[in-house]
Amino acid sequence: MEIRISKTKEDLASAFSIFFKSLVQSDKVTHVALSGGNSPRKIFDHLAENYGEEIDWTKVNIYWVDERCVHPLNEESNFKMTRDHLLSKVKIPEENIHRMRGEDNPEKEAKRYGELLDKQLPAENGVPEFDLIVLGLGDDGHTASIFPDSMELWDSEENCAVAAHPTSGQKRVTLTGKVINTAQAVAFLVTGENKAKIVREITRHQGDYKKYPASLVNPDTPDFIWFLDEEAAKEL
Ligand SMILES: O=C(O)[C@H](O)[C@@H](O)[C@H](O)[C@H](O)COP(=O)(O)O
């Protein structure tokens, strides 16, 4: 695991964009799963506006780490956020965009999406292998849509599972731990002082880190990087 600390969120966006470009520049098709939430917004804007023209998006397939089970035009939708801040700004073919479509039947979509990954991605020990998985960190230690009150989803035998937000109850479709930990590269994007304590606990294995699903992210790859701004890294 590597920790890269950037002075500002803009510097983090630049560091991540350069990393992203280095991974997708190879001449092979790449499969990337993105998280939602707020942190990626400006980072995706930066990637699109500064490197969008330098990347051959015809070779990049975009998937989601998790998705709220809402209409794709709903402000809550991770697909909408990603389309608004990245996909609408780059020349990526529609067929390369693989939306999680959980708004009608989450359980059915979790099955469909898991089968899609088995079909589309190369496999490592029978598990679909992403080239890159981009994760966020909730201030309760969740990642993807695996929350502290449903840690068992991490160990699901399936590629995807159905989760529920602990307070709103909103249903989510999410990748599970075996897929996340099989990726060839994993990048956490974490900004803001409100994440500093939990970043320290997880990366230093201190305090209640074992209660946090994000502490279970441990892919067997040198390309496992925490991209932090100085605020999120304040306690390191
Ligand atoms: O659907 C989601 O919300 C995300 O996939 C989730 O895992 C997110 O990455 C964290 O909640 C951090 O969210 P922020 O970036 O908004 O803090």
Side-chain angles (χ1 to χ4, degrees), residues 203-219:
T203 57
R204 296 263 169 87
H205 284 187
Q206 294 175 353
D208 291 332
Y209 78 95
K210 286 184 179 165
K211 286 189 342 192
Y212 306 136
S215 70
L216 299 171
V217 177
N218 186 27

Side-chain angles (χ1 to χ4, degrees), residues 43-98:
I43 297 167
F44 289 173
D45 286 334
H46 184 99
L47 172 61
E49 289 152 19
N50 294 277
Y51 297 90
E53 290 296 316
E54 297 177 27
I55 292 168
D56 177 1
W57 295 91
T58 63
K59 292 196 179 68
V60 182
N61 282 267
I62 297 290
Y63 305 77
W64 274 264
V65 169
D66 63 334
E67 179 59 281
R68 294 85 180 274
C69 296
V70 295
H71 189 278
L73 296 179
N74 184 311
E75 282 307 317
E76 282 275 295
S77 163
N78 290 336
F79 165 80
K80 182 179 186 303
M81 184 278 285
T82 313
R83 192 196 56 186
D84 293 350
H85 293 274
L86 177 62
L87 303 179
S88 61
K89 300 176 180 179
V90 297
K91 298 184 180 74
I92 185 166
E94 276 303 312
E95 62 269 22
N96 288 25
I97 299 171
H98 308 279

